[in-house]
Amino acid sequence: MKLASPNSDGAPSSTAERSSHMSDNSTFDQVAGKIKETTGKVVGDKELETEGVLQNLQGKATEAVEDVKDTIKGVVDHFSKDDDEPSAV
């Protein structure tokens, strides 16, 4: 997996890189959360299990927000392209 190139402050520099970086974080949160949840169930640690459930949900929510942002950007880009084309009258 290729990681996003950070700019001088350590954050990804382009929108695509930020989106990819957020996607990586949301996937990490989902996987880590599931591992914590399962481990908590196996060892009988309700606190760890709950922490895992919450981390998993946080990852899913972050992913959903990024999907909405991508959809909105696609719609805006689509209509922006339509505005740039001369009308055929």
Side-chain angles (χ1 to χ4, degrees):
M1 174 188 327
K2 184 178 181 215
L3 296 176
S5 302
N7 61 20
S8 62
D9 66 357
S13 56
S14 74
T15 303
E17 288 176 342
R18 280 192 301 272
S19 181
S20 174
H21 181 70
M22 291 298 291
S23 177
D24 291 345
N25 284 342
S26 67
T27 301
F28 174 81
D29 282 339
Q30 290 178 50
V31 171
K34 199 63 175 170
I35 291 169
K36 287 180 183 179
E37 178 184 358
T38 302
T39 302
K41 284 180 183 178
V42 169
V43 299
D45 185 340
K46 289 288 187 189
E47 186 176 334
L48 182 62
E49 182 181 346
T50 302
E51 182 181 331
V53 169
L54 293 174
Q55 187 172 1
N56 187 353
L57 290 173
Q58 179 181 3
K60 288 180 180 182
T62 301
E63 184 177 11
V65 167
E66 289 304 312
D67 289 346
V68 169
K69 285 181 182 179
D70 290 343
T71 300
I72 291 170
K73 183 180 181 327
V75 169
V76 168
D77 288 349
H78 174 75
F79 285 108
S80 293
K81 288 178 186 176
D82 287 347
D83 290 343
D84 293 341
E85 295 175 7
S87 58
V89 178

